[in-house]
Amino acid sequence: LKGSHVTRLERTAICVARFEKMRSFSSSSLKIVVGCSLEKLRRRRMLKLPTIERYAMTDRSRTSQSNRWLLGATGLAVGGVCLWLVSQFVDVRLVVSTLLAANGRWLVLALLIFWASVGIRVLRWQRLLDHVGNLGASKVAEALVVGYAMNYLLPARLGEPFRAAYTRRRFGVDGFTGSIVTERLLDGLATVLILMMGLALASLGQRAADLSALESVAGISLFFFAAVAVMLAAFRRIPPHKIVGPQWIVGPLKRTLEGATRQSAASLYAALGWTVLVWLLEPLALWAVFASLEVQLTVAQALIVLSAGSLSVLAVTAPGYIGSLQLVFGLVLAAFALPVEAGVAGATLVQVVFY
């Protein structure tokens, strides 16, 4: 950067970029300062080399991009392996014939119930975003649906960071990361509780021996989500500038805490109530999907299939959860002595109709 073409204004902008990296300033503040400097330089025709754009990109953003590529490749690999496993123990022709014989009326009912749950999710996220300003339901719905669509199109659930970036760029406001983390945490806890409820109901009737594996999954998942909730609750009392450690850990944690600490207790309680409504509707939608295949799930079976499938897509998966959802649905139905092909067909209908 030592040369006659480097002006004081350029040096100032580059120093601001470096200071942002050291002090974890918000990206919006950096964009305003550096963007303003760039605009002045362009107007004065003094910017001869793209130095600021190059140096304003921090190492953290480069590392994040490489990590996303790695997650994407891993998700595609996981989906391919799951599809291969499914093909080893199902009759593909029987799966296709089952799909072609699906009752369209039940599928329409399932779609209506599913979109009702999406509407409730919109209201929940809008409540969690009270601290960022008065965002209308239409704007929140647009960002939510776009984020969910990218989750289905991109592997490894990369739609969640895309949702935050889309909302920031589309509506010019920031502070969404904490609300998305809170939303995912509520859904995770609800999923585990539904799984435990389904296992408890299944134990009252004829119990399948293979459900012991799901009991272990429920226990581990409950411990994980409870630990995350306790950690976030504890960190809410700690100022972000007092958190020290490796930048690749501390940076995302600070941004998450800054968003989470802005949410009031009333917003959290309201979001909890909306979460209960969401997870009352989604088992009904799943039950209607299997009813279209002439598979009558009990309450316990519907809860276990839904929660097991939801937990499976929390990990690194392929786009649209292809492969992992078919594998989990097939294994759970096999544990209840139901046709595996019906589970694979049901997972495919969920992907086609809902996603």
Side-chain angles (χ1 to χ4, degrees), residues 193-204 207 211-216 218-219 300 303-304 336:
L193 293 177
I194 284 177
L195 177 57
M196 298 179 69
M197 186 183 303
L199 292 172
L201 292 175
S203 66
L204 299 177
R207 182 187 173 106
L211 294 183
S212 59
L214 289 176
E215 292 175 353
S216 301
L303 294 179
I304 292 175
F336 288 107

Side-chain angles (χ1 to χ4, degrees), residues 2-319:
K2 294 181 180 179
S4 58
H5 65 278
V6 180
T7 65
R8 179 183 300 178
L9 195 55
E10 281 186 284
R11 292 194 187 97
T12 303
I14 295 167
C15 288
V16 168
R18 291 176 175 173
F19 188 76
E20 187 272 343
K21 177 183 175 183
M22 294 171 57
R23 300 296 183 182
S24 297
F25 270 28
S26 65
S27 57
S28 58
S29 301
L30 173 65
K31 182 179 178 182
I32 293 172
V33 176
V34 178
C36 178
S37 302
L38 280 172
E39 186 61 31
K40 289 180 180 178
L41 288 170
R42 291 193 180 99
R43 268 186 273 161
R44 298 179 187 179
R45 298 181 180 179
M46 295 171 61
L47 184 60
K48 299 180 181 179
L49 295 176
T51 54
I52 295 181
E53 287 95 336
R54 188 185 304 123
Y55 286 94
M57 181 181 293
T58 64
D59 293 338
R60 174 171 52 83
S61 61
R62 295 174 182 174
T63 304
S64 176
Q65 186 176 7
S66 62
N67 290 340
R68 290 176 185 176
W69 280 106
L70 179 60
L71 285 174
T74 305
L76 292 174
V78 170
V81 171
C82 290
L83 282 178
W84 178 81
L85 291 175
V86 169
S87 66
Q88 299 303 305
F89 59 85
V90 299
D91 185 351
V92 179
R93 294 181 180 179
L94 183 57
V95 172
V96 174
S97 62
T98 303
L99 288 172
L100 294 177
N103 190 325
R105 294 181 180 179
W106 283 112
L107 294 179
V108 172
L109 177 61
L111 183 61
L112 292 176
I113 297 174
F114 174 77
W115 277 106
S117 70
V118 172
I120 296 176
R121 288 179 181 273
V122 170
L123 296 176
R124 180 182 65 176
W125 196 34
Q126 185 183 25
R127 193 71 172 89
L128 290 173
L129 292 175
D130 285 345
H131 62 279
V132 301
N134 187 16
L135 286 178
S138 60
K139 295 181 179 180
V140 176
E142 176 185 342
L144 185 75
V145 172
V146 167
Y148 281 5
M150 296 309 295
N151 255 342
Y152 305 143
L153 294 176
L154 298 176
R157 299 191 67 87
L158 294 177
E160 301 300 350
F162 182 88
R163 192 202 328 179
Y166 177 86
T167 311
R168 182 171 58 252
R169 295 176 183 178
R170 178 73 171 83
F171 306 116
V173 289
D174 205 346
F176 297 94
T177 306
S179 63
I180 294 176
V181 171
T182 303
E183 181 188 71
R184 295 294 90 191
L185 181 61
L186 290 174
D187 283 337
L189 288 172
T191 302
V192 176
L193 293 177
I194 284 177
L195 177 57
M196 298 179 69
M197 186 183 303
L199 292 172
L201 292 175
S203 66
L204 299 177
Q206 184 178 0
R207 182 187 173 106
D210 291 340
L211 294 183
S212 59
L214 289 176
E215 292 175 353
S216 301
V217 171
I220 295 173
S221 302
L222 181 61
F223 175 79
F224 172 77
F225 285 111
V228 173
V230 171
M231 183 187 69
L232 289 178
F235 275 121
R236 283 172 64 93
R237 303 177 180 273
I238 302 176
H241 66 274
K242 291 187 178 181
I243 302 175
V244 296
Q247 183 63 28
W248 62 277
I249 296 178
V250 174
L253 181 59
K254 285 183 178 180
R255 291 190 297 273
T256 301
L257 291 177
E258 287 175 357
T261 52
R262 297 177 188 175
Q263 297 164 6
S264 63
S267 298
L268 293 176
Y269 289 136
L272 182 61
W274 290 124
T275 302
V276 173
L277 291 178
V278 166
W279 290 96
L280 285 175
L281 290 177
E282 295 206 351
L284 292 176
L286 182 69
W287 181 88
V289 168
F290 278 97
S292 70
L293 302 175
E294 297 183 355
V295 177
Q296 300 296 326
L297 297 179
T298 64
V299 175
Q301 292 169 351
L303 294 179
I304 292 175
V305 172
L306 175 65
S307 54
S310 299
L311 288 175
S312 70
V313 302
L314 291 178
V316 179
T317 57

